[in-house]
Amino acid sequence: MTEKLDIDHLRQWIGRTQEATDVVTAQLVKGLRATLFQEVGEPKTGDAAPFTVHWCLAQPVFPMSMLGADGHPTRGGFLPPVPLPRRMWAGGEIEFIQSLRVGDETTRTSGIADVTVKTGSTGTLCFVAVEHTITSPRGAAIRERQDIVYREMTSSQPATAKAPAPPKAQHRETHISDPVLLFRYSALTFNGHRIHYDRDYVTKVEGYPGLVFHGPLQAALMIEMAAKLRGGKAPKKFSYRGVQPLFEGTEFSVNANETDAGLELWTANAEGQPTMKGTAVWR
């Protein structure tokens, strides 16, 4: 049984900050390029890294004794100790200022911006907003907000109601949600969350039908598509939110439509139903 959620206590974490440093290495860039279905090449000092390489940098490292049953660190510390058992990356917004490059020493400064509670179709939801600024020797490179959601351990089976007709895309790429792909991204981001690689855990404990595709990986693929459609230039701002889980073993697509302001983007499952939605603007 989940312990009572004390929002006043959890909101005491608002304003907490932490700082971490790391270096963009050529090996990291090669691994991320491969995972994002890009040409791997031989990156050299000064070459631009994939736009979301910062999600692979300076990830928290905890001893095995400090990990919970789901593979995440035990609650508390920098993030508030939300007692709800499921934790997911729900969405966020990224401002791209300049590229990170091979050889850059980076610093990430993070702060808890807000903690809120809502009630949804799956029960109680607790949202934690975390703001980050990533700098390189040339100054600020990225500013972003990440929205983390905690929720109850309710049934995770897909709804049986008839889904709406999938949207049509002007631009579309397809890939396979392969378990090796999920493992590679977990390794690159030092993400121990067992829903991405432990099939027994994800199906028998959390009740999903299969391994869960990372939200950040979906967002990264949308950002790279957006840049490709604009001559390699990253959007000024990219906002995204998860819609429904995407699972292993099926085809998925990365999609984009032109708008007056920029691009609407989404990832979709094999049936064409959106799993994550995003918007990219260049002004």
Side-chain angles (χ1 to χ4, degrees):
M1 179 179 294
T2 302
E3 63 183 277
K4 181 176 175 58
L5 194 154
D6 185 345
I7 186 61
D8 292 332
H9 174 63
L10 297 177
R11 287 182 63 83
Q12 293 178 20
W13 265 253
I14 295 174
R16 292 198 181 196
T17 62
Q18 69 175 14
E19 189 173 282
T21 62
D22 205 346
V23 176
V24 181
T25 67
Q27 185 67 17
L28 172 61
V29 169
K30 288 174 69 173
L32 186 55
R33 284 178 179 174
T35 306
L36 297 178
F37 305 102
Q38 299 176 350
E39 183 178 346
V40 175
E42 292 293 340
K44 297 178 176 58
T45 299
D47 288 353
F51 296 110
T52 56
V53 70
H54 64 290
W55 287 340
C56 305
L57 296 171
Q59 293 301 314
V61 177
F62 292 86
M64 296 296 293
S65 60
M66 292 183 64
L67 300 183
D70 62 357
H72 277 308
T74 50
R75 306 298 171 89
F78 173 64
L79 289 172
V82 180
L84 300 173
R86 278 204 179 125
R87 170 181 159 181
M88 303 287 284
W89 198 335
E93 183 176 270
I94 308 175
E95 178 185 0
F96 292 100
I97 302 167
Q98 59 177 297
S99 295
L100 293 174
R101 299 184 175 276
V102 176
D104 281 350
E105 182 172 336
T106 66
T107 299
R108 183 184 65 241
T109 304
S110 308
I112 306 297
D114 201 6
V115 182
T116 57
V117 173
K118 299 179 182 179
T119 301
S121 59
T122 58
T124 301
L125 304 171
C126 182
F127 291 87
V128 178
V130 186
E131 293 180 345
H132 304 278
T133 299
I134 295 90
T135 61
S136 75
R138 297 174 299 283
I142 295 168
R143 295 190 183 94
E144 76 166 311
R145 185 197 74 251
Q146 295 173 1
D147 298 322
I148 301 169
V149 62
Y150 299 80
R151 64 187 185 90
E152 297 173 80
M153 193 72 78
T154 54
S155 173
S156 299
Q157 296 300 324
T160 57
K162 183 178 179 180
K168 294 183 179 179
Q170 295 170 322
H171 310 279
R172 186 170 184 263
E173 297 177 354
T174 61
H175 305 285
I176 298 297
S177 177
D178 183 271
V180 177
L181 175 68
L182 305 187
F183 169 79
R184 281 185 162 194
Y185 197 73
S186 287
L188 285 166
T189 55
F190 204 69
N191 182 354
H193 198 182
R194 292 170 66 178
I195 65 172
H196 303 304
Y197 60 85
D198 187 336
R199 190 173 288 106
D200 279 351
Y201 172 83
V202 77
T203 56
K204 296 177 181 178
V205 177
E206 298 218 9
Y208 290 105
L211 300 178
V212 180
F213 200 101
H214 309 70
L217 178 52
Q218 295 180 65
L221 291 167
M222 286 193 284
I223 291 166
E224 295 293 342
M225 171 179 267
K228 184 162 59 175
L229 293 172
R230 289 295 185 272
K233 184 178 180 181
K236 181 177 180 180
K237 285 190 178 180
F238 177 76
S239 303
Y240 62 102
R241 63 180 179 87
V243 178
Q244 62 175 314
L246 175 63
F247 299 105
E248 63 165 319
T250 61
E251 182 179 85
F252 72 96
S253 59
V254 187
N255 309 271
N257 282 336
E258 306 282 346
T259 68
D260 291 341
L263 289 170
E264 288 184 352
L265 300 112
W266 68 98
T267 49
N269 59 24
E271 290 72 43
Q273 298 301 322
T275 56
M276 177 170 282
K277 295 182 178 180
T279 59
V281 297
W282 280 261
R283 61 179 186 224

